[in-house]
Amino acid sequence: MTLSPVVDKPVDITPVVWETIKQKLKEKVRPVNFNNWFKPITHGEIAGDNLVISVPNKFIADWINDFYAEMIEKEAHFLLNKEVKVRFDIAVEQLAPASSSSTPGVPQTFQRKISAPFNHKYTFESFVVGKGNQLAHAACQAVSEFPGGHYNPLFIHGGVGLGKTHLLNAVALSALRRHPEMKIIYISSEKFMNEFITCVQNSRMKDFRKKYRESADMLLIDDIQFLGGKGGTQEEFFHTFNELRDSHRQIVLTADKLPKELPGIEERLRSRFAWGLIADVQPPDFETRVAILREKAAIDKISLADDVALYLAEKIESNVRELEGALIRLNAFSSLKGSLLTIDLAKEVLHNQFKPTQEEQRMTVEEIQKTVAEYYQIGLADLKSPRRLKNWAHPRQVAMYLCKKHLRLSFPEIGNRFGGKDHTTVMHACRKIERLLLIDNNLQNDIAILEKTIV
Ligand code: ADP
Ligand code: MG
């Protein structure tokens, strides 16, 4: 007879706890909700005063938190005779494969609903509306409320970093909240193409068509311009588009240009893109930039002083992504240095990133011009005049050279400051001075003295 060693194992009551709570919930919530939200959750564990539930993504966590946390906590209290708080352990979201095979760790029900990871920060609530994006914003809200209506397809276009992807995500999240049963596919056109190619290679076109033409209730494709020149994918997309639109299923597309300006896209597609509503996103104006900074700061719990917000909004004009990036960098710096996020810190950290303001530029160009004019004893106006007298042309070329070397200005910008000269004149001047400097000791001397004065 063999004796097995006695191992003093702690009893893991956790699975029992969660299964028991689940049973209770099953009695309390409607079957469809139970099946959607709770049935697939197989793991919950007690950690101190928390009941940690494993869910596949933040969306589900938020949903359960908003609608069911109290109920769960009550059941847990009853069962354990102590108060616990519901917490979530969120698995990394995974892209559902084209076929119906399951992704490990992600329950099937969730896969059906969430075909690609949404970015849960990109909601309508966190989107700041301004003059440049109000039509796009309103249209996106309309299609998430009434999908498949008048604005089908909805085509959003505009430059990089202006919120197209944000809006597309917001449509998906908002539609899903309103219509939890909807199968929403959100995908970039590149991924769409890759999936298509994989399916062609593996003879799985049936799966592909089933996914996009039959089961999708809403199709959101980001950056459609990447389909330019991809004939096979465009052909497939053409049929997908027709089938969805004919059966009043919503399509939303984004691109960096208007449909008619998209290179390499077939005419029949371009014209279809314009069948619904076209809305653009433009760079935000100053007030909107300030509002966006405040919104981002609030979301990330960064305390942002007014003067810092105004400074950033003034310096970064074209692109919201850069605006956000500057804020994040600043915040990282201030916490690394353990100092407050002040305007001085902002200037110190971000100084090199910015072009000097027009004011700063004019002042410095003028300084250089004044110094050079005095040195060569000619009038300031002569430096900018169109006349080619040698006495004036040489100092003018020196001044242009110094502007190019010391200010971050382009040739045309310098030309403008010298009485509207052509950029080729400035280029010629700079090259000439550079060449002369190699051989002309007097000029080397002149430049050295001038640079001492201006720099
Ligand atoms: P696009 O897809 O047009 O290149 P994104 O949607 O990726 O731009 O936006 C870039 C960043 O700027 C994102 O972090 C997004 O949240 C933010 N953003 C853009 N526009 C706005 C806005 N109006 N309000 C709030 N955030 C915005
Ligand atoms: Mg984008």
Side-chain angles (χ1 to χ4, degrees), residues 237-303:
F237 180 62
F238 174 75
H239 296 295
T240 308
F241 183 102
N242 290 340
E243 204 149 323
L244 290 175
R245 195 175 180 279
D246 289 348
S247 51
H248 304 289
R249 287 176 282 168
Q250 183 68 45
I251 302 163
V252 187
L253 307 170
T254 74
D256 61 351
K257 294 187 190 65
L258 278 165
K260 62 172 192 263
E261 291 167 355
L262 287 174
I265 299 281
E266 290 171 23
E267 183 48 39
R268 58 182 184 170
L269 272 178
R270 281 199 250 163
S271 62
R272 275 169 177 72
F273 292 166
W275 275 358
L277 179 71
I278 298 178
D280 63 344
V281 284
Q282 294 289 337
D285 57 18
F286 179 74
E287 286 77 10
T288 312
R289 295 200 295 278
V290 175
I292 289 173
L293 281 166
R294 293 204 171 120
E295 173 69 30
K296 300 285 175 196
I299 289 175
D300 291 338
K301 303 201 168 50
I302 300 173
S303 95

Side-chain angles (χ1 to χ4, degrees), residues 95 115-117 165 168-169 185-196 208 212 219-227 233 237 252-254:
L95 186 71
S115 308
T165 297
L168 211 54
N169 257 276
I185 299 186
Y186 161 77
I187 194 167
S188 72
S189 69
E190 244 177 330
K191 283 200 177 130
F192 179 84
M193 182 181 78
N194 289 337
E195 207 176 308
F196 170 66
F208 187 88
Y212 286 98
L219 179 61
L220 312 168
I221 301 198
D222 210 358
D223 293 318
I224 199 82
Q225 71 269 12
F226 285 120
L227 291 193
T233 313
F237 180 62
V252 187
L253 307 170
T254 74

Side-chain angles (χ1 to χ4, degrees), residues 20 48 50 58 64 67 100 114 159 176 197 212 231 234 248 285 336 346 349 351 390 404 417:
T20 312
N50 295 324
K58 187 166 178 306
I64 294 179
F67 296 103
S100 55
I114 297 173
L176 210 51
I197 292 170
Y212 286 98
Q234 282 187 42
H248 304 289
D285 57 18
L336 283 176
V349 174
H351 181 72
K390 178 146 196 311
K404 185 68 201 169
R417 303 293 171 81

Side-chain angles (χ1 to χ4, degrees), residues 17-311:
V17 172
W18 175 242
E19 277 312 312
T20 312
I21 292 174
K22 242 170 90 172
Q23 281 313 311
K24 290 283 172 199
L25 294 171
K26 194 173 180 182
E27 293 162 18
K28 302 210 154 148
V29 306
R30 288 179 38 225
V32 53
N33 289 333
F34 180 81
N35 289 338
N36 267 345
W37 306 112
F38 297 112
K39 198 172 169 194
I41 300 177
T42 52
H43 194 78
E45 88 187 12
I46 301 289
D49 289 333
N50 295 324
L51 167 61
V52 185
I53 305 174
S54 302
V55 293
N57 59 49
K58 187 166 178 306
F59 179 73
I60 289 163
D62 284 346
W63 194 284
I64 294 179
N65 198 35
D66 287 346
F67 296 103
Y68 300 109
E70 220 173 286
M71 190 188 279
I72 297 172
E73 283 166 7
K74 233 188 192 157
E75 288 307 327
H77 188 188
F78 185 75
L79 192 70
L80 303 166
N81 204 17
K82 71 170 188 174
E83 293 216 356
V84 293
K85 282 259 164 253
V86 168
R87 297 276 182 267
F88 297 95
D89 179 20
I90 300 169
V92 177
E93 282 182 14
Q94 302 182 45
L95 186 71
S99 72
S100 55
S101 68
S102 68
T103 307
V106 180
Q108 196 64 37
T109 320
F110 294 141
Q111 271 189 32
R112 245 186 50 68
K113 286 179 175 304
I114 297 173
S115 308
F118 298 125
N119 186 331
H120 295 271
K121 276 169 136 180
Y122 292 171
T123 58
F124 284 129
E125 290 76 28
S126 67
F127 190 81
V128 177
V129 184
K131 251 204 323 257
N133 60 27
Q134 61 191 9
L135 176 64
H137 173 260
C140 282
Q141 279 199 317
V143 300
S144 74
E145 234 170 289
F146 306 108
H150 291 310
Y151 308 144
N152 201 13
L154 172 58
F155 189 96
I156 311 280
H157 70 98
V160 291
L162 297 180
K164 301 182 297 295
T165 297
H166 188 137
L167 281 173
L168 211 54
N169 257 276
V171 170
L173 293 175
S174 159
L176 210 51
R177 246 168 238 266
R178 278 169 215 275
H179 315 278
E181 297 308 316
M182 242 179 151
K183 168 99 163 72
I184 299 176
I185 299 186
Y186 161 77
I187 194 167
S188 72
S189 69
E190 244 177 330
K191 283 200 177 130
F192 179 84
M193 182 181 78
N194 289 337
E195 207 176 308
F196 170 66
I197 292 170
T198 311
C199 287
V200 171
Q201 283 167 347
N202 302 330
S203 315
R204 283 197 356 233
M205 274 317 289
K206 243 172 101 184
D207 288 339
F208 187 88
R209 290 189 177 140
K210 189 157 188 255
K211 176 175 174 185
Y212 286 98
R213 295 192 199 177
E214 288 169 35
S215 47
D217 296 314
M218 185 190 272
L219 179 61
L220 312 168
I221 301 198
D222 210 358
D223 293 318
I224 199 82
Q225 71 269 12
F226 285 120
L227 291 193
K230 316 291 185 338
T233 313
Q234 282 187 42
E235 166 87 30
E236 181 62 27
F237 180 62
F238 174 75
H239 296 295
T240 308
F241 183 102
N242 290 340
E243 204 149 323
L244 290 175
R245 195 175 180 279
D246 289 348
S247 51
H248 304 289
R249 287 176 282 168
Q250 183 68 45
I251 302 163
V252 187
L253 307 170
T254 74
D256 61 351
K257 294 187 190 65
L258 278 165
K260 62 172 192 263
E261 291 167 355
L262 287 174
I265 299 281
E266 290 171 23
E267 183 48 39
R268 58 182 184 170
L269 272 178
R270 281 199 250 163
S271 62
R272 275 169 177 72
F273 292 166
W275 275 358
L277 179 71
I278 298 178
D280 63 344
V281 284
Q282 294 289 337
D285 57 18
F286 179 74
E287 286 77 10
T288 312
R289 295 200 295 278
V290 175
I292 289 173
L293 281 166
R294 293 204 171 120
E295 173 69 30
K296 300 285 175 196
I299 289 175
D300 291 338
K301 303 201 168 50
I302 300 173
S303 95
L304 179 67
D306 280 351
D307 56 349
V308 179
L310 297 183
Y311 175 75

Side-chain angles (χ1 to χ4, degrees), residues 419-430:
K421 303 237 169 7
D422 193 72
H423 71 279
T424 53
T425 309
V426 185
M427 270 165 65
H428 170 73
C430 293

